[in-house]
Amino acid sequence: MNTIDTHMATKFPEQQAAMNRMREFLRTLLPNAEEVISYGMPAFKQKKVLVFYEAFSKHLGFYPTAGPIQAFEADLKASGLVYSKGAVQLPFAGDWPEELLKKMVQNRQQQVG
């Protein structure tokens, strides 16, 4: 078991399902990125960490850093999701705005270069 699998094993089943869903989503978008634990959270790294994610008691946190949040703030407002300077809160189940998340990840990749 790698450290991300070990980390996920400590979570409740609905948290694990959301984390695995995000992991697979990010693996598709970032096939050459390394999966790491950074700041105690699963993350995808290419030169620098591109995006973090973590399950909390009532949501999955998605952390693409502040740049993509600012770049897509109007879309985030329209989505109805709770977000802050560097984080987006996603429900464990149900629809995620995958196209928006994809654009945010791509924006972060451009920032890192």
Side-chain angles (χ1 to χ4, degrees):
M1 221 189 286
N2 71 30
T3 56
I4 293 175
D5 292 329
T6 303
H7 179 82
M8 286 187 190
T10 67
K11 304 293 183 178
F12 291 111
E14 69 179 353
Q15 294 170 316
Q16 289 177 12
M19 290 181 81
N20 279 316
R21 179 179 171 190
M22 179 58 71
R23 187 182 195 184
E24 290 306 313
F25 176 74
L26 293 172
R27 278 181 173 168
T28 300
L29 294 177
L30 304 166
N32 299 318
E34 176 186 5
E35 291 185 67
V36 298
I37 295 285
S38 184
Y39 295 101
M41 296 183 284
F44 279 74
K45 178 180 180 179
Q46 282 179 314
K47 298 179 188 173
K48 291 182 169 183
V49 171
L50 298 170
V51 61
F52 303 86
Y53 61 100
E54 180 62 277
F56 295 96
S57 62
K58 298 187 186 220
H59 70 274
L60 181 77
F62 173 74
Y63 304 90
T65 72
I69 302 270
Q70 291 171 346
F72 295 97
E73 188 168 11
D75 296 314
L76 284 165
K77 281 182 184 176
S79 75
L81 292 173
V82 174
Y83 67 95
S84 64
K85 181 180 175 183
V88 177
Q89 294 181 12
L90 300 167
F92 289 136
D95 293 333
W96 290 350
E98 290 186 3
E99 280 303 310
L100 175 56
L101 299 177
K102 179 180 176 179
K103 288 176 186 176
M104 294 174 82
V105 170
Q106 290 169 337
N107 179 276
R108 178 68 179 140
Q109 276 186 293
Q110 290 173 350
Q111 287 179 342
V112 170

